[in-house]
Amino acid sequence: MRIVIAGGHGQIAQRLERLLAGRGDEVAGVIRRPEQAGDLLALGAEPVICDLESASVADVARHLEGADAAVFAAGAGPGSGIERKETVDHAAATLFADAAETAGVRRFLVISSMGAGAEPPPGTDPVFAAYLRAKGAADDDVRARAGLDWTILRPGSLTDDPGTGRVTLTGSTGRGSVPRDDVAAALAALLNEPGTAGRTLELISGGTPVADAVRAAAG
C-alpha cells in the first residue's frame, strides 16, 4: 500500500511511519518544515513539504494521487492557541478530506481525541475545550462524506510508555490512557482492515492483542 500521512512529523505519525515502512508499505509524511525531512527519511518515509494551513485542495490532492489510504495525524500541538486549533485540528482535517476525495483515495483514517464527540464540561481549560470542539467538528465533517471509507480513532490520554501491544478498542471504552506506540500499532492494523470503515472507535490500554481488537471492531 501507499499511505500518505498528514502531520508526518508528529509523535504518533513517526511511530506509524516506522511500522508501515518496516512491513513494506510505501509511506509519505506531509510536513510543514523542510528541516524535518531528514527525520522522516531515517524512518523510511518520503517527506512531502506542504503547509496544510495555506495549501489549496488541488495542492494537497496532487500529493495524494496514487495513494491507497490517507491518515490525518496533524495537530496544532501543545502551546498553540485557540485560533490554531481551528485552522489545524478542524480546517486542515477538512482540507485533507477534500483532497482525498479529489484524488480518489477512499480509505481515510483520523486520529481524533476521546471527548471530541461531546461539549466540554464546565471548567475545562478554554484552549483544550477549543481543541475538543475542533476535533469534534472535523470528525463530524469526515463522517458525513459518502466518498470516504473513514475510520475515526479516539485514543485516551497519550503516554510515552513502551507499548504493550494490548488494548481495548470499542465504540466506548470509558476513560483511560494508552501509549503512543499502541496507537500507532492500532492505526497500522486499521489500515489493513476495511471492515472498520464507518466506525468511530475509542482506544485505551487493555488486555486484547491489537490485531484481535481491530478484527473484533470490524465484526
Side-chain angles (χ1 to χ4, degrees), residues 144-174:
R145 295 171 184 261
L148 296 177
D149 295 329
W150 54 265
T151 301
I152 308 290
L153 184 66
R154 291 176 169 170
S157 300
L158 299 170
T159 77
D160 288 324
D161 296 335
T164 66
R166 293 180 175 271
V167 298
T168 298
L169 179 71
T170 64
S172 179
T173 62

Side-chain angles (χ1 to χ4, degrees), residues 117-135:
E119 178 63 17
T124 301
D125 172 78
V127 176
F128 187 62
Y131 166 75
L132 291 175
R133 292 188 185 104
K135 296 299 282 187

Side-chain angles (χ1 to χ4, degrees), residues 20-98:
L20 295 177
R23 75 182 190 188
D25 289 322
E26 183 181 341
V27 57
V30 178
I31 54 177
R32 185 165 56 95
R33 298 176 179 171
E35 61 268 26
Q36 297 171 339
D39 292 336
L40 269 66
L41 289 169
L43 296 168
E46 171 196 346
V48 173
I49 312 300
C50 181
D51 186 349
L52 295 178
E53 289 182 90
S54 60
S56 69
V57 171
D59 291 336
V60 181
R62 280 194 290 272
H63 298 307
L64 284 163
E65 288 176 1
D68 299 292
V71 180
F72 186 79
S80 59
I82 289 174
E83 182 178 346
R84 291 201 72 227
K85 304 305 183 191
E86 176 58 30
T87 59
V88 179
D89 293 290
H90 179 195
T94 300
L95 172 74
F96 202 57
D98 286 340

Side-chain angles (χ1 to χ4, degrees), residues 157-209:
S157 300
L158 299 170
T159 77
D160 288 324
D161 296 335
T164 66
R166 293 180 175 271
V167 298
T168 298
L169 179 71
T170 64
S172 179
T173 62
R175 292 286 174 179
S177 62
V178 61
R180 289 178 172 88
D181 287 349
D182 289 335
V183 179
L187 289 163
L190 287 165
L191 284 164
N192 277 352
E193 182 45 84
T196 58
R199 305 286 176 91
T200 300
L201 300 167
E202 294 185 351
L203 177 74
I204 59 173
S205 292
T208 305

